[in-house]
Amino acid sequence: TPEREPVAPGDLIVYAQGDRAGQPVNASDLEPGQRQVIAYPMNPQTRVVKGEEPANTLLLLRLEAASLTAETARHAAGGVVAYSGVCTHLGCIVSNWIADKQLLFCPCHGAQYDPRDRAKALVVAPKPLPQLPIRVEDGVLVVAGEFQGPVGPPT
Ligand code: FES
């Protein structure tokens, strides 16, 4: 079904949850250091939100641009980065944020990832969350490439 199509370059990125679910995320909506926004890709032609495929769950956040490693910055839009939201431990959504350390945190078993450095796994998880290249187009966030690695737990 169209709701399960994989994320593709050119897709708009929309809020997955809350009052603005289904609306495109403006780059200016994101404040540096704030917790991640959970998002889905949307087909820009049909406007179908591809939210029924768990592997399409995305995390978006803005960090200080100067704090990103070179590799991470290459796929970011200024300080805005996007990663797969699927924990590489056992597949929960990485929905929590450790504000004082600026780390992504999985509520299931405590995996932590550093969003400034390719979401490398610090504890519990076996590998990073793959980064998704993004760009800003007319103020909104758009997918600019493929995931930089496999999504979810190793099979
Ligand atoms: Fe995320 Fe286990 S599924 S820590």
Side-chain angles (χ1 to χ4, degrees):
T1 64
E3 292 81 7
R4 298 192 71 117
E5 290 284 307
V7 58
D11 283 352
L12 295 168
I13 302 177
V14 303
Y15 287 93
Q17 307 167 333
D19 295 349
R20 298 170 71 183
Q23 294 182 22
V25 181
N26 289 298
S28 60
D29 293 346
L30 304 170
E31 299 280 348
Q34 274 189 351
R35 66 181 304 123
Q36 67 272 38
V37 165
I38 314 275
Y40 292 135
M42 179 173 81
N43 182 310
Q45 272 92 43
T46 62
R47 315 294 283 187
V48 171
V49 177
K50 303 173 180 178
E52 287 181 15
E53 171 50 59
N56 287 343
T57 308
L58 305 176
L59 308 179
L60 279 178
L61 64 170
R62 182 188 289 279
L63 300 156
E64 295 299 341
S67 73
L68 303 181
T69 64
E71 176 70 9
T72 299
R74 207 151 66 81
H75 303 297
V80 181
V81 291
Y83 291 104
S84 164
V86 184
C87 188
T88 62
H89 179 227
L90 293 175
C92 288
I93 298 304
V94 180
S95 55
N96 288 6
W97 176 238
I98 305 176
D100 58 343
K101 295 185 183 153
Q102 303 271 289
L103 295 175
L104 300 162
F105 179 72
C106 179
C108 288
H109 317 95
Q112 297 178 21
Y113 302 91
D114 184 352
R116 287 155 297 201
D117 185 7
R118 290 171 295 158
K120 74 178 175 202
L122 302 178
V123 291
V124 181
K127 63 187 186 71
L129 301 171
Q131 191 175 0
L132 185 69
I134 53 170
R135 64 172 186 266
V136 178
E137 225 174 83
D138 298 330
V140 300
L141 295 166
V142 176
V143 177
E146 309 281 345
F147 280 119
Q148 301 294 296
V151 170
T155 48

